Amino acid sequence: MSRIPIIAANWKMHKTGTEAKAFVEQLKGLDLSSQVRIWIAPSFTALPVVTAKKTPFVFGAQNMHQADEGPFTGEISARMLKDAGADFVILGHSERRMLYQETDDLIHLKLKKAVEADLLPLLCIGETEHERAAGHTERVLAAQLTVALKDINCAEVVIAYEPVWAIGTGKAATPEMAEHMHLYCRSILADIGHERWAEQTSILYGGSVTAEAARALFQQPNVDGALVGGASLNAQTFYQIIQGVNP
Ligand code: 13P
């Protein structure tokens, strides 16, 4: 079964609408392969700016609230994101887990709401350095997947394995390490869902992805693309990562 590679940009709290628009114009002008899907998650305010015009890219958000609507000052709903042109939403990013105390149970509620609203969830999972050193990596990933995906059809989800120790540190996982963990995630998906879902679900790697690291990572049969932070902020650098899919 062949999964079409996805290269996703998580811009975090970077780029205004104007800057996002300039990036999209620049990337659009480059020679892009039709064999790869390019996803971009800009800020909430940049979303309607970049989705106003037709582009070859898929746009999404970096977070959302689990309720339909209500007295939640400063929050944003799935329906608002859809209306702003989002097709996917990143959920469970380690920065949300660590800085905003998001738990697996909360991420599960958000994920359910996203699927209900026809937003494709991009679920992030990953262990901390401490958890890896203690030999708990597999246990952590299994728990994160099992709780977040309870009663969810796995076919409607994309997973990003982002070891916390690799995010923004310049220390990407080795291709072999990523392949090993992605295979492990597939075994969990098979346990909680269905063998076929486990095979169909795209699993991206995230954490200090650069053009150099990307080529070797994408050669692994179970690495279906990347979720890129810092290196996605520059259109040329991001383009070089995209090119790593078909070297
Ligand atoms: P970096 O690519 O900057 O390490 O960030 C990865 C990430 O958090 C993507 O969601």
Side-chain angles (χ1 to χ4, degrees), residues 10 12 93 95 162 166-168 207-209 227-230:
N10 174 10
K12 308 188 180 184
H93 192 281
E95 285 151 20
E162 299 205 307
I167 295 178
S208 295
V209 173
L227 179 55
V228 189

Side-chain angles (χ1 to χ4, degrees), residues 33-34 36 44 47 56 65 67 75 92 106 126-127 131 137 152-153 167-168 181 184 201 205 211 220 226 231 236 242:
S33 153
S34 55
V36 50
F44 295 141
L47 252 180
H65 196 273
E75 290 291 336
L106 177 68
E127 80 285 1
E131 287 162 342
T137 300
I152 305 275
N153 180 342
I167 295 178
M181 297 325 302
Y184 175 72
T201 302
Y205 167 79
Q220 304 298 317
Q236 272 300 339
I242 296 165

Side-chain angles (χ1 to χ4, degrees), residues 219-230:
Q219 273 163 26
Q220 304 298 317
N222 286 285
V223 177
D224 304 318
L227 179 55
V228 189

Side-chain angles (χ1 to χ4, degrees), residues 54-197:
K54 199 170 153 41
T55 69
F57 313 130
V58 178
F59 292 101
Q62 302 169 19
N63 179 37
M64 57 165 254
H65 196 273
Q66 67 278 15
D68 286 324
E69 59 184 0
F72 306 109
T73 302
E75 290 291 336
I76 196 156
S77 72
R79 214 161 64 85
M80 291 168 187
L81 293 178
K82 282 296 284 186
D83 187 59
D87 285 319
F88 72 94
V89 58
I90 297 174
L91 294 175
H93 192 281
S94 64
E95 285 151 20
R96 301 285 326 165
R97 293 177 189 263
M98 291 187 315
L99 303 173
Y100 303 100
Q101 289 75 46
E102 291 201 5
T103 62
D104 289 325
D105 287 322
L106 177 68
I107 293 158
H108 168 64
L109 293 177
K110 293 186 176 201
L111 214 140
K112 255 175 57 180
K113 189 55 71 181
V115 171
E116 226 178 271
D118 195 29
L119 271 175
L120 187 65
L122 171 43
L123 170 65
C124 299
I125 57 168
E127 80 285 1
T128 63
E129 191 162 29
H130 180 73
E131 287 162 342
R132 176 164 280 269
H136 294 158
T137 300
E138 300 198 343
R139 192 195 304 169
V140 168
L141 299 187
Q144 289 176 339
L145 284 171
T146 310
V147 177
L149 295 176
K150 190 168 169 284
D151 304 325
I152 305 275
N153 180 342
C154 302
E156 297 165 332
V157 179
V158 171
I159 311 285
Y161 168 57
E162 299 205 307
V164 180
W165 48 267
I167 295 178
T169 59
K171 277 195 308 187
T174 63
E176 296 71 28
M177 205 185 263
E179 173 68 9
H180 177 79
M181 297 325 302
H182 287 210
L183 260 179
Y184 175 72
C185 290
R186 271 190 219 292
S187 75
I188 299 295
L189 292 181
D191 282 353
I192 60 178
H194 195 289
E195 198 67 51
R196 199 161 51 86
W197 290 338

